[in-house]
Amino acid sequence: MKTASWLLCGSILLIGTPAFAESTREFAPHAAYTACFTPGDDCEGLIVELIGQARRTIHMQAYSFTDRAIAAALVDARARGRKVVVLLDKSQRRERYSVAAKLTAAGVTVLFDDQPAIAHNKTIIIDPGSDHPALETGSFNFTYSAERRNAENALIIRDDPGLVASYERYFQARMAVSEPWRGGEVYRR
């Protein structure tokens, strides 16, 4: 796997809706990150590995989610007793290859974020509130094409509880206005 890992230094400006925007702040002292880029790197494998490391909770937001390997990692995590919640854009109700039905059948909580025009988030929050949380974010859609056809990026940040807490607050707010999966669509492939 060709990925780059660095110790985080400096500052980051978090931009979001006014209720969630934060001023510039320092990364946690021992935070580290791994950057991954397609084509070329194995971002899918890196994300599957991250999901496999979850000890308690996985919170995911996805605009498009058709990647079977990432879905299988979430199903496996649920089978190992992890709490897994996935918020999807409303378009995934109609997406031919959406993994929503497969995830629901495996006991994963699947909700649709219907309120904005597009729920374009692409994040995975691992073990928020723990001593060693992690966050995956970037342009990487959780799709076959993101790994094999597109130019995408994924960034995994470890051990920055403050940053992860920011994403978790946003996740909780989006989850509060999302609608549960009611079924009907069939997982194909």
Side-chain angles (χ1 to χ4, degrees):
M1 173 177 358
K2 298 185 298 184
T3 58
S5 295
W6 295 277
L7 188 62
L8 290 175
C9 299
S11 301
I12 186 169
L13 175 63
L14 298 177
I15 301 172
T17 60
F20 296 97
E22 296 185 10
S23 61
T24 302
R25 67 177 185 80
E26 297 292 317
F27 282 105
H30 299 290
Y33 70 90
T34 303
C36 186
F37 305 93
T38 62
D41 292 344
D42 182 11
C43 296
E44 177 188 70
L46 194 64
I47 291 167
V48 165
E49 181 181 324
L50 177 70
I51 291 167
Q53 294 168 354
R55 293 185 174 165
R56 294 188 325 231
T57 307
I58 302 165
H59 288 161
M60 178 183 202
Q61 291 177 279
Y63 170 68
S64 184
F65 191 2
T66 61
D67 188 290
R68 295 185 320 174
I70 295 172
L74 292 173
V75 167
D76 182 59
R78 180 68 190 109
R80 290 181 288 120
R82 301 334 180 238
K83 181 180 179 186
V84 182
V85 180
V86 176
L87 304 182
L88 298 173
D89 178 68
K90 61 189 164 204
S91 66
Q92 292 299 284
R93 286 188 168 116
R94 298 176 311 280
E95 166 59 43
R96 181 176 178 192
Y97 297 110
S98 174
V99 296
K102 177 182 181 177
L103 294 172
T104 302
V108 171
T109 300
V110 175
L111 303 128
F112 292 95
D113 193 349
D114 288 328
Q115 293 201 352
I118 296 174
H120 208 244
N121 293 299
K122 301 161 195 101
T123 62
I124 302 172
I125 305 164
I126 303 291
D127 297 330
S130 73
D131 290 338
H132 299 286
L135 169 71
E136 185 278 331
T137 192
S139 70
F140 192 87
N141 279 304
F142 306 107
T143 64
Y144 178 91
S145 291
E147 179 68 25
R148 293 161 187 86
R149 296 183 184 137
N150 300 348
E152 305 268 1
N153 71 83
L155 179 66
I156 295 175
I157 303 165
R158 298 177 187 278
D159 297 327
D160 191 330
L163 180 61
V164 172
S166 295
Y167 276 82
E168 179 64 13
R169 282 190 300 276
Y170 183 70
F171 179 89
Q172 292 297 325
R174 298 306 326 147
M175 187 170 71
V177 297
S178 295
E179 295 292 324
W181 168 258
R182 300 202 196 295
E185 290 81 0
V186 177
Y187 176 78
R188 298 173 183 92
R189 268 206 210 192

